[in-house]
Amino acid sequence: DLGWDAVEKTLLAAVDERDYQLAEHALRILVDKFPGSPRVEVLSGIILENKETPTKALAYYNELLKEDSSNAALWRRKAGILRKLGKVDEAVNELCALLDTFYTEIEGWIELGDIYLSCHRYEFALQALSHVLLLAPQNPFHMLHFAETAYLVPDVPLALKVYLQAVDMTDDDDQDGVTPMDTVPSKLVLRAWFGVKLCTNKLITEPKAINSPSQTSPPKTNVLASLDDLATERLRTAYLETTRESPPQGDTALLKELAKILQQV
């Protein structure tokens, strides 16, 4: 017996593989065990979204929300369906209503930020992600997402500040006697250092980049130069490592961009 969590995971995996017979079998098991469960209702909706049309899934969510509007997960799924149908304004309205009622729904804030990003409304996306940081300040992925969005606003001083916070969160001062300077940056740490380099380079070469909508002060000139040198060293270390071994999965495209930058420094 692997537990009910395993049944749920099996259902979701079956949906991913379009094995709806298995997914519905797992759903029946969960419905029998947990009749009327809001979580099971969401799982039923996920099957409907994939097996049937978005319109049918939307009608299903609307019907359930009429009976019980306290199911935040159903509300998020409804907003997602509206977005798929191209009804972006309605999706935003649904998410705003959801978050006015359930402020701590991190996934809702992330979805809202993503919608604004897809519409190139970077300032609004940054506002949504600021709530994510308030709710989950120890998550470096959220920190990195916020920094990348701030860079697009553009608010380069703010982006640099948060990129450095992401580095600090992911690059411990001492790991089993090995200092960060003796390690090879990869994955999230590599992306954070890449962001630091982009910010320092822009602040050094483009005077207007110091303008910050959030009133974040850029580092002093000597500190900025030191950060730029440090970021270059960290990225060069990652790049040179690829000449000896295959790059970590997912880092290849980033390192190609890195190679172009390093040719200029």
Side-chain angles (χ1 to χ4, degrees):
D1 184 5
L2 297 177
W4 299 110
D5 184 60
V7 178
E8 180 179 337
K9 290 180 179 178
T10 299
L11 185 155
L12 295 173
V15 170
D16 288 340
E17 295 298 321
R18 298 183 179 276
D19 186 347
Y20 300 120
Q21 184 176 355
L22 175 58
E24 290 174 343
H25 176 67
L27 179 64
R28 285 193 296 271
I29 293 174
L30 292 171
V31 169
D32 289 342
K33 180 63 179 179
F34 308 103
S37 166
R39 184 163 181 164
V40 175
E41 290 176 342
V42 171
L43 293 173
S44 180
I46 291 173
I47 294 176
L48 194 60
E49 286 180 38
N50 289 271
K51 184 180 178 182
E52 304 293 343
T53 64
T55 304
K56 287 185 178 181
L58 182 60
Y60 170 76
Y61 291 137
N62 281 331
E63 189 64 29
L64 288 176
L65 287 169
K66 284 181 182 178
E67 300 175 4
D68 180 12
S69 61
S70 66
N71 192 330
L74 280 178
W75 220 339
R76 287 199 311 274
R77 301 300 306 187
K78 177 184 176 181
I81 290 293
L82 289 169
R83 185 182 181 184
K84 288 180 182 179
L85 291 172
K87 300 179 180 180
V88 176
D89 289 342
E90 291 184 37
V92 169
N93 290 336
E94 287 292 335
L95 286 171
C96 289
L98 164 66
L99 295 168
D100 281 342
T101 307
F102 304 102
Y103 173 76
T104 58
E105 282 294 314
I106 294 178
E107 293 83 359
W109 287 112
I110 293 173
E111 176 73 8
L112 182 60
D114 190 60
I115 290 177
Y116 284 134
L117 278 172
S118 69
C119 299
H120 307 290
R121 303 294 298 275
Y122 302 125
E123 300 90 346
F124 290 102
L126 196 65
Q127 290 176 17
L129 294 177
S130 67
H131 294 284
V132 176
L133 291 191
L134 286 173
L135 295 167
Q138 301 305 317
N139 190 314
F141 293 97
H142 297 332
M143 194 73 68
L144 189 60
H145 193 189
F146 182 91
E148 291 171 342
T149 305
Y151 186 84
L152 293 172
V153 166
D155 191 335
V156 181
L158 176 61
L160 176 58
K161 177 182 177 180
V162 182
Y163 272 127
L164 289 171
Q165 289 176 332
V167 167
D168 186 57
M169 292 172 68
T170 55
D171 231 352
D172 294 336
D173 292 336
D174 193 351
Q175 302 177 33
D176 298 326
V178 179
T179 63
M181 295 303 293
D182 295 324
T183 62
V184 178
S186 64
K187 299 180 180 179
L188 192 147
V189 184
L190 174 61
R191 195 170 188 90
W193 276 118
F194 189 74
V196 171
K197 178 61 185 179
L198 288 176
C199 291
T200 55
N201 184 66
K202 185 171 284 288
L203 288 169
I204 290 171
T205 60
E206 300 180 25
K208 290 184 179 180
I210 66 172
N211 296 327
S212 170
S214 64
Q215 305 299 313
T216 303
S217 300
K220 294 181 180 179
T221 303
N222 61 328
V223 176
L224 187 61
S226 296
L227 284 174
D228 187 67
D229 290 341
L230 178 58
T232 300
E233 186 282 328
R234 292 282 72 209
L235 296 176
R236 181 177 284 117
T237 297
Y239 177 66
L240 293 177
E241 183 68 14
T242 66
T243 64
R244 294 188 289 271
E245 299 178 4
S246 298
Q249 187 176 5
D251 290 345
T252 307
L254 182 58
L255 289 170
K256 286 181 180 179
E257 291 297 319
L258 167 58
K260 296 177 184 178
I261 289 181
L262 292 178
Q263 290 173 357
Q264 304 171 7
V265 298

